[in-house]
């Protein structure tokens, strides 16, 4: 009898209780990228960007965040993952797949960048003019660069152009590796997550990366010196893309598309560029507090590097001309856009 009474009471409670929705979200974005969650861009751009979409859509857009390649694959696979729908949103370097996105390489030529915030705005304008066809398989949300790249090396480091001779130096992309080779070092290409192990095992003598990523990868603990360059242009930079699967975007209701659109473009590119710039300070602080040696090449020495790297620029222009582009105009436009936003 007691069991019967409890059963009836339970049934009545179930019938009178308010229904709970399974989920308020119309879409849940799977976001995939290659760095630890605490790195500056994931922590201060990607997750805040996703939270902004969630807030502005009143929870109709939600997300699942997968740092450090948790959905599988390696960093060079990220573009194909978002194209094919393995992920809905990715952040990666087009240069991890050499030769596939040649137009982006204008920004990776020697001594092009100023701040990441300025250079990233220039990159967006350049994308709109030259790169839409290269990225036609995805929906681009933002493109950007990091701040001025440096050389982080073991031992006495790099104090003159001649110090590069015989060094094994990691580079991120085809053009940066060409630059390293042209200046006399041996380039070793690899995605940035592989750098700490390569340094600790002696596979490389040093690496080119911005300060921003040295902190999460603990690079300052694995090298002795850090070489920067005098003047208003960094040694190099890398080009990044933050992109969404086309079907994911196309299938959004119009009002949700407008929210994505409002958080895309030049302002989003500027935002992530600023995060890159702000992320440089902690890396520099860690290296300084460890007592690592800071080297800044003076303007006369930098002029030697610029002259020695000019064949890399000329070679890229010639390659683009062979592909049917106007390489010189693309190079000149990239420089002019960087100058515009730097001023």
């Amino acid at each position: 009898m007691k069991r019967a009474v409890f059963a009836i009471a339970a049934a009545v409670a179930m019938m009178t209780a308010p229904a709970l929705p399974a989920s308020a979200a119309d879409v849940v974005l799977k976001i995939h990228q290659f760095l630890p969650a605490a790195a500056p861009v994931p922590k201060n751009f990607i997750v805040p960007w996703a939270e902004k979409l969630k807030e502005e859509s009143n929870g109709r857009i939600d997300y699942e965040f997968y740092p450090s390649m948790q959905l599988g694959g390696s960093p060079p696979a990220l573009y194909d993952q978002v194209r094919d729908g393995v992920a809905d949103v990715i952040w990666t370097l087009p240069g991890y797949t050499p030769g596939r996105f040649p137009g982006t390489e204008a920004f990776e030529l020697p001594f092009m960048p100023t701040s990441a915030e300025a250079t990233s705005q220039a990159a967006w304008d350049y994308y709109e003019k030259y790169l839409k066809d290269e990225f036609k398989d995805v929906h681009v949300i933002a493109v950007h660069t990091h701040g001025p790249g440096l050389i982080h090396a073991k031992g006495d480091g790099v104090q003159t152009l001649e110090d590069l001779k015989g060094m094994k130096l990691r580079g991120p992309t085809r053009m940066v590796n060409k630059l390293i080779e042209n200046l006399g070092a041996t380039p070793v290409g690899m995605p940035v997550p592989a750098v700490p192990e390569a340094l600790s095992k002696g596979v490389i003598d040093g690496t080119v990366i911005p300060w921003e990523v040295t902190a999460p990868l603990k690079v300052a603990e694995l090298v002795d010196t850090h070489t920067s360059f005098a003047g208003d242009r960094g040694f190099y930079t890398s080009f990044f893309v933050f992109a969404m699967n086309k079907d994911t975007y196309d299938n959004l209701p119009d009002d949700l598309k407008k929210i994505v659109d409002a958080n895309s473009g030049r302002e989003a590119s500027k935002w992530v560029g600023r995060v890159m710039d702000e992320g440089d300070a902690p890396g520099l602080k860690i290296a300084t507090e460890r007592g690592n040696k800071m080297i800044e090449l003076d303007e006369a020495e930098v002029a030697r590097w610029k002259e020695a790297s000019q064949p890399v620029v000329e070679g890229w222009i010639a390659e683009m001309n062979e592909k049917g582009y106007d390489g010189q105009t693309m190079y000149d436009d990239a420089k002019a856009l960087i100058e515009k936003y730097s001023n």
Side-chain angles (χ1 to χ4, degrees):
M1 178 64 73
K2 288 183 179 178
R3 282 199 295 269
V5 171
F6 280 126
I8 292 168
V12 170
M14 288 178 66
M15 288 187 290
T16 57
L20 296 175
S23 173
D26 291 3
V27 60
V28 179
L29 302 175
K30 289 186 294 184
I31 304 175
H32 199 202
Q33 58 87 29
F34 56 95
L35 283 181
V41 170
K43 180 181 178 181
N44 298 322
F45 171 70
I46 297 176
V47 170
W49 176 88
E51 285 288 340
K52 198 164 183 283
L53 264 59
K54 184 175 180 178
E55 179 181 349
E56 292 176 7
S57 68
N58 294 317
R60 292 172 60 203
I61 300 175
D62 206 345
Y63 67 97
E64 297 171 354
F65 182 52
Y66 298 94
S68 300
M69 301 305 301
Q70 288 178 356
L71 287 179
S74 61
L78 281 163
Y79 184 85
D80 288 338
Q81 287 183 357
V82 78
R83 181 197 63 188
D84 298 339
V86 175
D88 296 300
V89 179
I90 59 91
W91 174 62
T92 192
L93 285 77
Y96 280 167
T97 51
R100 190 171 177 182
F101 304 95
T104 66
E105 293 175 336
F107 279 74
E108 298 181 342
L109 293 170
F111 298 100
M112 289 288 281
T114 57
S115 71
E117 184 172 341
T119 308
S120 296
Q121 292 174 83
W124 178 261
D125 288 4
Y126 181 91
Y127 156 77
E128 290 204 303
K129 184 171 183 178
Y130 291 113
L131 302 180
K132 286 190 172 182
D133 189 58
E134 289 191 7
F135 292 101
K136 65 182 183 295
D137 295 329
V138 300
H139 179 79
V140 174
I141 297 165
V143 296
H144 71 97
T145 68
H146 60 62
L150 300 87
I151 300 173
H152 311 265
K154 298 178 179 180
D156 294 331
V158 178
Q159 304 186 53
T160 67
L161 185 58
E162 289 72 24
D163 291 334
L164 289 174
K165 303 295 183 184
M167 284 188 69
K168 294 176 292 183
L169 204 58
R170 173 265 175 184
T173 64
R174 187 177 80 99
M175 293 316 299
V176 179
N177 284 332
K178 280 183 175 288
L179 171 61
I180 290 169
E181 183 176 29
N182 207 74
L183 295 177
T186 299
V188 182
M190 66 181 70
V192 75
V195 166
E197 183 177 6
L199 281 169
S200 64
K201 291 185 175 180
V203 174
I204 54 176
D205 303 309
T207 181
V208 292
I209 46 175
W211 280 117
E212 169 265 336
V213 80
T214 60
L217 296 183
K218 302 187 185 304
V219 169
E221 299 173 16
L222 298 168
V223 300
D224 306 292
T225 66
H226 310 271
T227 300
S228 61
F229 298 77
D232 61 355
R233 291 292 185 273
F235 179 41
Y236 85 99
T237 191
S238 296
F239 192 99
F240 296 76
V241 62
F242 187 55
M244 181 178 287
N245 174 268
K246 278 188 79 73
D247 288 342
T248 299
Y249 177 80
D250 291 342
N251 291 332
L252 290 174
D254 287 345
D255 60 335
L256 296 187
K257 280 183 183 173
K258 288 180 181 178
I259 291 172
V260 173
D261 293 345
N263 290 283
S264 302
R266 187 184 302 109
E267 285 305 309
S269 301
K270 179 181 179 180
W271 177 8
V272 64
R274 182 170 63 252
V275 165
M276 281 285 201
D277 286 333
E278 291 170 350
D280 283 346
L284 174 59
K285 183 182 180 190
I286 290 168
T288 303
E289 289 178 349
R290 286 187 57 83
N292 289 5
K293 184 176 182 180
M294 301 296 167
I295 302 165
E296 182 181 278
L297 304 186
D298 63 25
E299 292 185 5
E301 182 63 20
V302 171
R304 298 179 65 221
W305 288 59
K306 288 181 177 179
E307 182 179 0
S309 64
Q310 190 59 29
V312 178
V313 177
E314 294 168 357
W316 181 82
I317 291 171
E319 283 186 28
M320 296 306 292
N321 291 344
E322 290 172 4
K323 295 177 185 294
Y325 297 91
D326 185 341
Q328 186 67 54
T329 299
M330 293 173 77
Y331 173 67
D332 291 342
D333 279 357
K335 287 184 70 174
L337 286 166
I338 293 169
E339 188 69 25
K340 170 186 172 182
Y341 287 104
S342 300
N343 290 335

